[in-house]
């Protein structure tokens, strides 16, 4: 790859309009902002979410290795028949791993040109997809197969006879989960491919069909290091009217429940009364967080936490009708968003030990939503302005919300920016949507001894309204709802969750160039 330049710039300080107690400033986190360049082509390295029914796994590697995809300058001979799972592009798009500042092209399967890395385990195994070079006769596009990279070498995990498949996550032991097509015609398959989509577990070179909960289709989304799997499945082959919000693959499809799979058995986790529910994460104890529609098809969804011992429990709301889970920790903490009474305002929340905590919002904004949490209890998400709809990333820790004003690269205009993940070292990755397209960024904690030449760049803080829904709803930051109605506020949170790419946890960038 030709030499490219990383851009490292200062993230502007944002201070609360509220008074900050004396001594707090010394405790404010400092971050270095690094924009990550492409691999020679016109697109940045991002990871997209094509999961049918829930969040894809959080793809943080705690050893500092990142994965994703990047466009190159090499012409794509299959651009006219590109598979929609890999963004059609005139140049090839390749799976990439970053070790330090150097991106490594992971390559594609034999005969293929394009690939996409979706997840990396702490042991360095990488899961994703690659085209094979063969044309799918049913779809008329290049076939894409689930792929595992071991020491940089791609392995075709295969399908169940159909043309397509996708690997969602790999654990430290090399167990890979996802979905693969068979050859049985199906009008309601998750991805509109015309044949059944089946959840799989790949291990020891064997692709295993995990079955379904009674319908024709299923997908495995998460796997923990014990080999326990969470996913989704239709429970019947008969379509029902689905006007809820959790499932988006159609308004007349079979009922869908989340499943828990262990030792060859698939268990139906149930739902909160509606026709669609889906997981948002599984932890090492086999707990699963997720979201479910309610019995009233027009009602807003609620977040849940499930365990084999306790079943599915509604996590509750801030007094309104809406709650959404986005991430789960091994200690059972769940983060997401919920609305206050009357759905007049919606905020990032933390559910812990049965208690919901309102994380507040940044000054001048009127709402927020949390996307990710690490083992240290640091939370990242978006705070949004209810007049413009613009968003800005935040870090929440120890009862305070710190806002990042992401400065765009020179010569560009920032439309909005969003975080995607945070790892256990506190590194935050996200993307900025610029007038020139998407650009990935990395926020590196300056307190980290491994950060070289760290400048005084992002010492920015504000005190959030926390733990008190009524106080948050009445705070100066939320008093003026502007042009955004409560219904539009809910739509904004859903749109934020649906549009944001899932970007890998990226390594520290101390060098100024990549090759």
């Amino acid at each position: 790859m030709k030499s490219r330049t990383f851009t490292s710039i200062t993230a502007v300080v944002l201070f609360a309009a509220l008074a900050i107690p004396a001594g707090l400033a010394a405790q404010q986190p400092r971050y270095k902002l690094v924009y990550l360049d492409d691999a020679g082509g016109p697109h940045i390295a991002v990871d997209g979410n094509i999961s049918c029914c829930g969040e894809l796994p959080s793809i943080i590697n705690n050893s500092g290795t990142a994965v994703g995809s990047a466009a190159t300058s090499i012409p794509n001979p299959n651009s006219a028949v590109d598979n929609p799972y890999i963004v059609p592009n005139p140049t090839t798009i390749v799976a990439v791993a970053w070790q330090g500042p150097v991106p490594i092209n992971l390559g594609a399967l034999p005969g293929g040109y394009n690939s996409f890395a979706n997840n990396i385990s702490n042991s360095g195994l990488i899961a994703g997809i690659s085209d094979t070079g063969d044309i799918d006769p049913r779809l008329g596009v290049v076939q894409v197969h689930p792929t595992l990279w071991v020491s940089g070498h791609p392995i075709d995990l295969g399908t169940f006879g159909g043309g397509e498949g996708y690997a969602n996550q790999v654990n430290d032991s090399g167990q890979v989960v996802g979905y693969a097509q068979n050859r049985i015609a199906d009008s309601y398959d998750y991805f509109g491919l015309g044949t059944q989509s089946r959840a799989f577990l790949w291990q020891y070179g064997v692709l295993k069909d995990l079955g379904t909960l009674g319908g024709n289709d299923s997908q495995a989304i998460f796997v923990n290091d014990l080999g326990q799997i969470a996913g989704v499945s239709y429970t019947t082959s008969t379509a029902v009217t689905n006007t809820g919000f959790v499932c988006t693959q159609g308004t007349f499809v079979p009922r869908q429940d989340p499943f828990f799979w262990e030792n060859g058995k698939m268990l139906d986790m149930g739902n909160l009364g509606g026709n669609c529910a889906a997981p948002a994460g599984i932890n090492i104890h086999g707990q699963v967080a997720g979201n479910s529609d309610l019995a009233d098809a027009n009602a807003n969804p609620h977040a849940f936490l499930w365990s084999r011992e306790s079943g599915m429990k509604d996590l509750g709301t801030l007094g309104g009708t809406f709650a959404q889970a986005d991430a789960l920790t091994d200690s059972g903490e769940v983060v997401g968003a919920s609305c206050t009474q009357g759905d007049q305002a919606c905020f990032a929340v933390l559910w812990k030990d049965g208690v919901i905590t309102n994380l507040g919002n940044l000054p001048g904004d009127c709402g927020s939503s949390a996307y990710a949490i690490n083992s240290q209890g640091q939370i990242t998400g978006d705070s949004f302005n209810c007049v413009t709809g613009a968003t800005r990333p935040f870090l929440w820790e120890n009862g305070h919300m710190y806002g990042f004003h992401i400065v765009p690269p020179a010569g560009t205009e920032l439309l909005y920016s969003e975080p995607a993940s945070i790892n256990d070292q506190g590194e935050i990755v996200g993307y900025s949507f610029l007038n020139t397209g998407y650009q990935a960024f990395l926020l590196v904690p300056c307190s980290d001894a491994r950060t070289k030449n760290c400048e005084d760049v992002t010492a920015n803080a504000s005190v959030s309204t926390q733990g008190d829904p009524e106080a948050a709803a009445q705070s100066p930051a939320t008093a003026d709802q502007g042009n955004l109605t409560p219904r539009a506020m809910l739509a904004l949170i859903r749109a934020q969750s649906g549009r944001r790419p899932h970007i890998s946890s990226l390594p520290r960038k101390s060098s100024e160039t990549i090759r």
Side-chain angles (χ1 to χ4, degrees):
M1 296 182 185
K2 66 180 181 179
S3 177
R4 307 287 292 178
T5 302
F6 280 107
T7 304
S8 177
I9 59 179
T10 297
V12 174
V13 176
L14 295 180
F15 287 99
L18 305 175
I20 298 178
L24 178 60
Q27 303 171 17
Q28 295 168 6
R30 297 166 53 237
Y31 278 77
K32 183 174 185 176
L33 173 64
V34 179
Y35 273 111
L36 304 173
D37 208 350
D38 54 57
H43 299 295
I44 61 167
V46 300
D47 176 28
N49 179 0
I50 65 164
S51 173
C52 72
C53 5
E55 296 297 317
L56 281 181
S58 177
I59 45 179
I60 293 175
N61 181 301
N62 287 326
S63 66
T65 302
V67 295
S69 69
T72 73
S73 59
I74 302 172
N76 179 13
N78 290 329
S79 59
V81 288
D82 264 345
N83 194 294
Y85 287 169
I86 300 177
V87 181
N89 198 59
T91 62
T92 58
I93 294 178
V94 296
V96 174
W98 285 267
Q99 296 176 345
V102 180
I104 300 172
N105 185 337
L106 298 176
L109 294 172
Y113 294 93
N114 300 279
S115 58
F116 198 98
N118 176 62
N119 175 249
I120 183 169
S121 71
N122 284 323
S123 62
L125 300 171
I126 299 169
I129 55 176
S130 171
D131 72 47
T132 66
D134 299 323
I135 301 297
D136 187 328
R138 178 181 291 270
L139 302 177
V141 297
V142 177
Q143 291 181 346
V144 163
H145 281 191
T147 303
L148 173 68
W149 283 268
V150 179
S151 300
H153 300 288
I155 299 172
D156 190 340
L157 306 188
T159 69
F160 298 119
E164 314 297 324
Y166 192 91
N168 279 328
Q169 189 173 33
V170 56
N171 66 14
D172 284 345
S173 301
Q175 294 173 303
V176 186
V177 299
Y179 87 90
Q181 301 295 124
N182 61 26
R183 295 180 180 176
I184 302 174
D186 183 8
S187 300
Y188 300 118
D189 73 285
Y190 283 128
F191 304 98
L193 301 177
T195 63
Q196 293 177 357
S197 307
R198 305 301 286 253
F200 73 71
L201 167 65
W202 184 95
Q203 60 181 347
Y204 311 123
V206 177
L207 192 72
K208 178 181 178 61
D209 187 334
L210 299 184
T212 74
L213 294 175
N216 293 328
D217 300 270
S218 58
Q219 181 187 183
I221 304 175
F222 301 95
V223 59
N224 64 19
D225 283 334
L226 297 179
Q228 297 169 323
I229 300 168
V232 292
S233 172
Y234 289 143
T235 63
T236 176
S237 58
T238 303
V240 297
T241 300
N242 175 21
T243 56
F245 299 105
V246 173
C247 286
T248 58
Q249 66 265 31
T251 58
F252 194 66
V253 293
R255 175 175 165 173
Q256 173 188 289
D257 279 354
F259 69 76
F260 176 85
W261 187 96
E262 183 178 29
N263 298 326
K265 296 181 180 180
M266 180 180 286
L267 178 65
D268 190 335
M269 290 194 286
N271 56 70
L272 297 178
N275 289 326
C276 188
I282 185 171
N283 67 17
I284 196 64
H285 303 293
Q287 293 177 302
V288 179
N291 302 289
S292 175
D293 288 329
L294 306 182
D296 180 354
N298 294 309
N300 288 313
H302 281 196
F304 68 77
L305 183 63
W306 178 94
S307 69
R308 187 187 288 272
E309 297 76 21
S310 303
M312 183 176 290
K313 302 295 183 182
D314 190 326
L315 289 174
T317 74
L318 290 175
T321 68
F322 170 82
Q324 173 177 288
D326 275 297
L328 168 70
T329 69
D330 283 342
S331 59
E333 298 172 326
V334 181
V335 296
S338 182
C339 296
T340 60
Q341 187 172 5
D343 294 335
Q344 291 302 303
C346 306
F347 299 98
V349 294
L350 166 67
W351 289 277
K352 181 178 181 181
D353 299 327
V355 176
I356 184 172
T357 297
N358 185 339
L359 305 186
N361 54 257
L362 295 173
D365 292 346
C366 67
S368 59
S369 184
Y371 301 148
I373 179 172
N374 65 13
S375 63
Q376 309 304 313
Q378 295 175 306
I379 300 169
T380 189
D382 270 329
S383 181
F384 53 85
N385 184 287
C386 283
V387 176
T388 66
T391 63
R392 45 181 170 159
F394 69 76
L395 169 71
W396 186 94
E397 63 178 357
N398 300 323
H400 300 288
M401 182 178 286
Y402 304 90
F404 298 101
H405 183 162
I406 304 300
V407 179
T412 66
E413 177 186 352
L414 177 68
L415 303 181
Y416 63 82
S417 57
E418 295 184 5
S421 298
I422 183 170
N423 68 11
D424 287 344
Q425 285 71 47
E427 296 168 311
I428 299 172
V429 289
Y431 70 100
S432 293
F433 186 64
L434 311 169
N435 61 333
T436 55
Y438 287 101
Q439 179 69 58
F441 66 76
L442 169 69
L443 289 164
V444 184
C446 292
S447 58
D448 194 311
R450 290 175 291 178
T451 305
K452 297 181 179 179
N453 303 319
C454 189
E455 306 164 10
D456 186 9
V457 289
T458 58
N460 56 109
S462 62
V463 180
S464 68
T465 304
Q466 179 253 6
D468 187 347
E470 293 185 4
Q474 297 170 3
S475 73
T478 61
D480 182 7
Q481 297 300 320
N483 301 322
L484 200 63
T485 65
R487 181 178 293 273
M489 189 186 305
L490 286 173
L492 177 59
I493 291 178
R494 294 194 190 102
Q496 296 301 98
S497 182
R499 81 187 182 190
R500 61 189 172 91
H502 289 248
I503 305 174
S504 306
S505 163
L506 298 168
R508 299 161 179 82
K509 308 295 183 186
S510 57
S511 173
E512 290 302 313
T513 61
I514 61 175
R515 298 184 184 277

